[in-house]
């Protein structure tokens, strides 16, 4: 199977549509999988949920999705995220709220595991920001590859046959032999690696090849919508800088 794997859409419809357009140009892709945070920050939570529901046979629950339907308190969210969640909760249609409550925290489609935050206790919403944290997390999944989102920063972390854990530099990787990988596919709707273009990944379970894709979208249109609903200016501004 060849999967496109997307994450952290954050109600950015222009970005999501641009990513699906890019995916649809590639006729060899069988399915699109979503790692969560469909909503929060952006102006189109309902439209993004409806598109994901229609296009993704698997979608994982993100912390912003959970907060939008009261499955998670926003006490640990920063002020901008809190304001966005309050607006989102009011905006969501009942059937879309219902959809979010059905999402799983983890899904295994051997040889891949899908979670939003970390394979260790996915409902605790930890972040993987160091090699030590990555090394620890390899004990908590059994497949060759685990795909994550949550930090909005794309990265390929390899565990090689000698038990060494390192970051692979570059946008492609071929998993070979007994190697295992932990891959953050980056964010569709709010990239934070100083590249404002939407990020997603493609993984082929037959060849075990992974590659990142970056896609441009109409950021100004997204920002105008966010300003119209009075989202904090910081959230609109950060999209241009990809941070
Ligand atoms: Zn997110």
């Amino acid at each position: 199977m060849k999967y496109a794997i997307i994450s952290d859409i954050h109600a950015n419809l222009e970005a999501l549509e641009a990513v699906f357009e890019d995916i649809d140009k590639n006729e060899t892709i069988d399915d699109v999988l979503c790692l969560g945070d469909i909503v929060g920050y952006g102006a189109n939570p309902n439209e993004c949920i409806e598109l994901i529901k229609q296009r993704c046979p698997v979608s994982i629950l993100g912390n912003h999705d959970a907060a939008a339907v009261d499955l998670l308190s926003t006490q640990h969210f920063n002020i901008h995220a809190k304001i966005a969640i309050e607006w989102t909760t009011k905006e969501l249609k009942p059937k879309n709220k219902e959809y979010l409550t059905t999402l799983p925290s983890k899904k295994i489609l051997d040889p891949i595991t899908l979670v939003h935050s970390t394979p260790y206790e996915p409902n605790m919403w930890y972040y993987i920001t160091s090699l030590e944290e990555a090394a620890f997390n390899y004990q908590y999944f059994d497949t060759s590859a685990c795909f994550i989102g949550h930090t909005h920063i794309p990265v390929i972390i390899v565990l090689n046959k000698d038990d060494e854990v390192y970051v692979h530099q570059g946008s492609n990787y071929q998993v070979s032999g007994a190697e295992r990988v932990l891959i953050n596919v980056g964010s569709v709707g709010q990239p934070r690696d100083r590249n404002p273009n939407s990020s997603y990944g493609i993984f082929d379970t037959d060849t075990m090849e992974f590659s990142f894709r970056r896609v441009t979208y109409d950021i100004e249109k997204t920002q105008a919508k966010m300003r119209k609903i009075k989202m904090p200016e910081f959230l609109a501004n950060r999209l241009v800088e990809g941070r």
Side-chain angles (χ1 to χ4, degrees):
M1 291 288 275
K2 201 179 206 179
Y3 295 115
I5 306 169
I6 64 174
S7 191
D8 296 274
I9 295 93
H10 287 291
N12 183 338
L13 184 62
E14 290 68 37
L16 183 60
E17 284 177 341
V19 163
F20 275 126
E21 208 174 293
D22 192 66
I23 289 169
D24 290 341
K25 279 189 233 156
N26 185 338
E27 287 175 2
T28 63
I29 290 172
D30 298 299
D31 266 328
V32 186
L33 309 174
C34 174
L35 302 180
D37 273 4
I38 306 172
V39 305
Y41 301 136
N44 293 105
N46 287 304
E47 294 81 353
C48 288
I49 290 174
E50 284 155 20
L51 204 49
I52 295 285
K53 211 159 127 181
Q54 184 195 330
R55 297 286 316 260
C56 301
V58 173
S59 187
I60 302 295
L61 182 75
N63 52 321
H64 288 253
D65 305 322
V69 293
D70 285 332
L71 292 172
L72 175 69
S73 152
T74 55
Q75 60 170 335
H76 298 298
F77 280 44
N78 66 46
I79 185 68
H80 306 295
K82 244 180 226 177
I83 293 168
I85 287 299
E86 277 164 27
W87 179 87
T88 303
T89 304
K90 284 194 205 112
E91 184 72 9
L92 281 178
K93 295 178 191 167
K95 66 171 167 75
N96 290 334
K97 278 191 180 166
E98 168 64 28
Y99 172 74
L100 293 182
T101 63
T102 66
L103 301 180
S105 300
K106 181 178 173 180
K107 181 91 181 170
I108 298 165
L109 298 172
D110 200 24
I112 68 179
T113 298
L114 307 166
V115 291
H116 178 70
S117 56
T118 52
Y120 171 72
E121 300 283 354
N123 288 324
M124 294 302 290
W125 315 110
Y126 296 121
Y127 291 90
I128 294 179
T129 55
S130 68
L131 287 178
E132 289 73 23
E133 285 158 348
F136 170 78
N137 270 279
Y138 278 99
Q139 305 164 61
Y140 294 93
F141 66 97
D142 299 320
T143 53
S144 296
C146 178
F147 292 94
I148 62 173
H150 200 39
T151 64
H152 299 206
I153 296 176
V155 65
I156 300 171
I157 305 168
V158 180
L159 170 68
N160 71 13
K161 62 172 174 31
D162 301 319
D163 268 345
E164 293 158 339
V165 176
Y166 63 93
V167 171
H168 169 75
Q169 306 292 343
S171 57
N172 295 13
Y173 194 74
Q174 161 97 54
V175 185
S176 57
E179 278 179 357
R180 298 170 70 214
V181 285
L182 194 50
I183 297 177
N184 190 315
V185 297
S187 170
V188 168
Q190 195 198 76
R192 293 181 192 159
D193 61 334
R194 302 271 164 185
N195 175 349
N197 299 335
S198 295
S199 176
Y200 76 96
I202 296 174
F203 188 66
D204 188 323
T205 60
D206 298 319
T207 63
M208 298 299 276
E209 282 172 11
F210 175 81
S211 59
F212 280 120
R213 297 279 302 166
R214 299 304 290 244
V215 182
T216 58
Y217 71 95
D218 190 345
I219 294 181
E220 285 180 14
K221 188 173 172 188
T222 302
Q223 289 180 311
K225 285 181 177 177
M226 291 170 79
R227 287 174 180 137
K228 204 170 165 200
I229 59 166
K230 304 207 163 32
M231 272 295 161
E233 187 57 27
F234 166 76
L235 294 175
N237 281 337
R238 73 187 303 179
L239 296 178
V240 190
E241 294 162 34
R243 65 172 181 93

